[in-house]
Amino acid sequence: MLKRFMIRLNHEKKLSHIGLLLSFLCFSCLTFGQQKAMINGDFPDPTVLYADGKYYSIGTSSEWGPHFPIYTSEDLLSWKQTGFVFSSPPEWAQSAFWAPEYFYHNGIYYVYYSAKRKKDGVSCIGVATSRYPDRDFVDQGIVVDYGTESIDAFVVREGDELYMTWKAYGLDDRPIELIGSKLSADGFRLEGEPFSLLLDTAAVGIEGQSFLKKDGFYYMFYSAGNCCGVRCDYHVQAVRSKSLTGPYERIGTGVLLGENTDWKCMGHGTFVEGKENKMYYLFHGYNKVGTTYTGREGLLAELQWSSSGEPSFVFIPATSLNEQHNVQLDLSGDPNINPYWQWDFRYAKPELSHTAQGIRLGGIIPPDNPTGIALTWRPSSVVYELGAVVDLINSSEGAQKGIVIYGDKDRSIGVGITGNNIQLWLVKDGEKFQIKQEKLPKDLTTLELKLELGADLQCRAFYKRWSTWVEIVPEDRGLTRVSGISPWDRSPRPGLHFQGTEDENAVFHSVYLNNKL
């Protein structure tokens, strides 16, 4: 099997040689020093709201659970994660947790969101509510069920009435359309007939709409183009109308936000008024250095207006990193410390407990998951170092325990310990292969492991023998280059790894992630 895999890999390497060369040249032509985002790491489709003297933002979580990370800020510049909207998926929802949208109405905080419905896989728009902007959200079910796809909710207030807007027909053989409908007073259901806001006659893709009202006009800002991946061309455009229902006319330049020196494929954001009475747009974009390996990160721009009512944006560069940029945790310490792990909730059900030695990781792994359980963080740099100390005494001997860079269940790489062996392993196209194996040094009670990811996407694995790092060197370095590991809509993630039966587990004393910007 490994021989067949090597033949196939060599063939793929020849086909992708030009792509890898171009990627390397791209890294080389930029001064390597990855730019900071307002909200670092993969945080697509951010929504933002101001309440009780603070700003709150929620972003897309896609296939990572828990769902929809929540961040807070005092000034829109420095952000800290404080939780998630959902600890487990709502009963009706299956996957694809996208495009949350904050709304405040009659003393209640609403989060509208998109997800695929369990019974048929159709994307619908649901809503959760709370008395607080950052906790205790309770799902209220589906609000929009329209055709083969309903995503990207945005609520517009028109006097005493509410209107829901969304994207439709993204999966159909017809133009995409932005659609509106009157919303019930409680915000839980549509009322009346849907109406068209904007038709994608150019077939470029339109979505992520948000509205502002100014000088008698409704301004609709939306994103056009391909949102995700290395071929993205996302950008922000605007139209306006005297009526919410239209017709809308183009206003401003063709690309209000799209690309600058450090960022590309900008879009899908919402507006918030700053404390100094300026209007800001929180949106996402790919770092030109990190690209898909750090994902779509949270960015900020100030909205400005010309005397004739044409909008423009002034990009605001970040000046500091998020507080949780780097992580170093003593897992045998305070059990109340929340590192805000995320995992692929579709293919793993992790079980965590704290012991005097550290964190105990186990859980249920479906048979179609060759990787196992990965407890991960969002990296803020394409270059980073991940390390952990594994407890060899209190972990199950037959289980594999270590660290991983996880794209999805079918694409990952890691280093771990099974029995008396240290193993460097790879999952590619749904098959798991052992790249290199070395004997575990004798008479150890713990072992420290480390993965380093370089700017050339080369992954290097190490273990510590006494005070010296020993590299596990594969015969073919091509096996440990992680190009192609990124899912189309999210970044790969580093973290702890476990693979074993339901009655096995792994104990970790400590873990760290150092992003090297």
Side-chain angles (χ1 to χ4, degrees), residues 107-308:
I108 301 294
Y109 294 93
Y110 293 69
V111 174
Y112 292 92
Y113 63 93
S114 306
K116 289 186 177 181
R117 187 167 48 195
K118 280 182 182 177
K119 70 177 184 180
D120 55 13
V122 171
S123 288
C124 302
I125 292 172
V127 66
T129 58
S130 174
R131 290 284 179 182
Y132 308 96
D134 59 346
R135 65 186 188 276
D136 299 341
F137 280 94
V138 176
D139 187 62
Q140 305 295 341
I142 294 174
V143 179
V144 183
D145 168 12
Y146 187 87
T148 58
E149 181 188 53
S150 303
I151 63 173
D152 296 2
F154 189 89
V155 177
V156 180
R157 194 189 305 272
E158 168 70 350
D160 294 330
E161 295 184 328
L162 303 179
Y163 289 85
M164 169 65 75
T165 69
W166 70 93
K167 171 192 174 181
Y169 306 119
L171 302 178
D172 298 346
D173 188 19
R174 54 147 294 163
I176 289 170
E177 197 167 359
L178 301 181
I179 290 177
S181 177
K182 188 177 178 183
L183 190 60
S184 63
D186 61 8
F188 292 163
R189 65 188 184 281
L190 299 183
E191 294 182 344
E193 288 298 316
F195 52 87
S196 177
L197 293 165
L198 193 65
L199 189 66
D200 183 20
T201 54
V204 296
I206 58 174
E207 62 185 26
Q209 74 289 346
S210 58
F211 289 78
L212 288 176
K213 194 170 184 181
K214 177 179 170 60
D215 299 333
F217 284 98
Y218 286 91
Y219 286 81
M220 179 168 63
F221 296 80
Y222 63 94
S223 299
N226 182 6
C227 71
C228 311
V230 295
R231 296 181 179 86
C232 64
D233 57 359
Y234 222 40
H235 56 280
V236 177
Q237 299 179 332
V239 292
R240 72 178 183 180
S241 172
K242 286 287 188 177
S243 167
L244 174 62
T245 58
Y248 284 86
E249 62 179 5
R250 175 66 59 82
I251 187 73
T253 61
V255 178
L256 294 170
L257 281 169
E259 184 172 353
N260 62 23
T261 303
D262 302 308
W263 301 89
K264 66 177 184 177
C265 303
M266 303 173 180
H268 201 137
T270 51
F271 291 93
V272 67
E273 187 173 343
K275 295 178 181 179
E276 71 283 22
N277 297 320
K278 294 180 179 180
M279 187 63 69
Y280 294 96
Y281 187 63
L282 187 67
F283 59 102
H284 72 238
Y286 280 111
N287 191 296
K288 287 185 176 179
V289 174
T291 60
T292 62
Y293 291 87
T294 47
R296 295 167 288 166
E297 304 185 66
L299 306 174
L300 189 69
E302 180 188 341
L303 176 64
Q304 298 185 347
W305 300 95
S306 72
S307 58
S308 60

Side-chain angles (χ1 to χ4, degrees), residues 181-479:
S181 177
K182 188 177 178 183
L183 190 60
S184 63
D186 61 8
F188 292 163
R189 65 188 184 281
L190 299 183
E191 294 182 344
E193 288 298 316
F195 52 87
S196 177
L197 293 165
L198 193 65
L199 189 66
D200 183 20
T201 54
V204 296
I206 58 174
E207 62 185 26
Q209 74 289 346
S210 58
F211 289 78
L212 288 176
K213 194 170 184 181
K214 177 179 170 60
D215 299 333
F217 284 98
Y218 286 91
Y219 286 81
M220 179 168 63
F221 296 80
Y222 63 94
S223 299
N226 182 6
C227 71
C228 311
V230 295
R231 296 181 179 86
C232 64
D233 57 359
Y234 222 40
H235 56 280
V236 177
Q237 299 179 332
V239 292
R240 72 178 183 180
S241 172
K242 286 287 188 177
S243 167
L244 174 62
T245 58
Y248 284 86
E249 62 179 5
R250 175 66 59 82
I251 187 73
T253 61
V255 178
L256 294 170
L257 281 169
E259 184 172 353
N260 62 23
T261 303
D262 302 308
W263 301 89
K264 66 177 184 177
C265 303
M266 303 173 180
H268 201 137
T270 51
F271 291 93
V272 67
E273 187 173 343
K275 295 178 181 179
E276 71 283 22
N277 297 320
K278 294 180 179 180
M279 187 63 69
Y280 294 96
Y281 187 63
L282 187 67
F283 59 102
H284 72 238
Y286 280 111
N287 191 296
K288 287 185 176 179
V289 174
T291 60
T292 62
Y293 291 87
T294 47
R296 295 167 288 166
E297 304 185 66
L299 306 174
L300 189 69
E302 180 188 341
L303 176 64
Q304 298 185 347
W305 300 95
S306 72
S307 58
S308 60
E310 292 198 353
S312 62
F313 287 102
V314 176
F315 183 85
I316 300 175
T319 57
S320 62
L321 291 168
N322 300 159
E323 184 175 323
Q324 295 142 325
H325 161 69
N326 288 332
V327 182
Q328 186 157 358
L329 294 176
D330 177 358
L331 299 175
S332 63
D334 185 355
N336 297 315
I337 293 176
N338 191 339
Y340 301 114
W341 310 105
Q342 285 188 285
W343 56 88
D344 189 339
F345 76 98
R346 301 165 302 167
Y347 299 110
K349 188 176 180 181
E351 294 179 3
L352 289 172
S353 61
H354 287 271
T355 71
Q357 294 77 33
I359 194 170
R360 187 180 298 277
L361 172 62
I364 300 172
I365 304 168
D368 61 344
N369 176 1
T371 291
I373 294 172
L375 282 185
T376 69
W377 291 298
R378 306 192 324 269
S380 62
S381 171
V382 70
V383 179
Y384 56 78
E385 179 180 277
L386 169 72
V389 175
V390 182
D391 185 324
L392 301 177
I393 302 299
N394 295 292
S395 298
S396 299
E397 183 179 9
Q400 189 174 66
K401 49 272 182 188
I403 49 181
V404 63
I405 299 174
Y406 183 94
D408 59 29
K409 71 179 181 66
D410 297 321
R411 293 176 288 183
S412 57
I413 189 169
V415 60
I417 305 154
T418 306
N420 295 319
N421 297 308
I422 307 170
Q423 299 159 332
L424 176 59
W425 55 268
L426 171 73
V427 174
K428 183 177 175 63
D429 298 331
E431 295 183 69
K432 189 168 186 177
F433 303 93
Q434 185 174 283
I435 300 173
K436 185 71 179 290
Q437 178 170 285
E438 297 190 8
K439 283 293 182 182
L440 183 69
K442 293 181 178 180
D443 302 323
L444 294 181
T445 58
T446 64
L447 186 68
E448 185 170 357
L449 302 171
K450 179 172 69 171
L451 289 174
E452 293 181 355
L453 186 62
D456 58 355
L457 304 182
Q458 185 71 54
C459 181
R460 300 172 64 196
F462 302 82
Y463 65 93
K464 185 175 276 190
R465 179 183 290 162
W466 305 115
S467 60
T468 302
W469 284 110
V470 178
E471 183 173 3
I472 304 172
V473 181
E475 294 180 8
D476 183 354
R477 285 284 191 184
L479 292 172

Side-chain angles (χ1 to χ4, degrees), residues 83-102:
F84 297 95
V85 174
F86 297 126
S87 58
S88 58
E91 182 61 33
W92 69 269
Q94 169 184 284
S95 60
F97 287 82
W98 297 339
E101 193 60 45
Y102 264 130

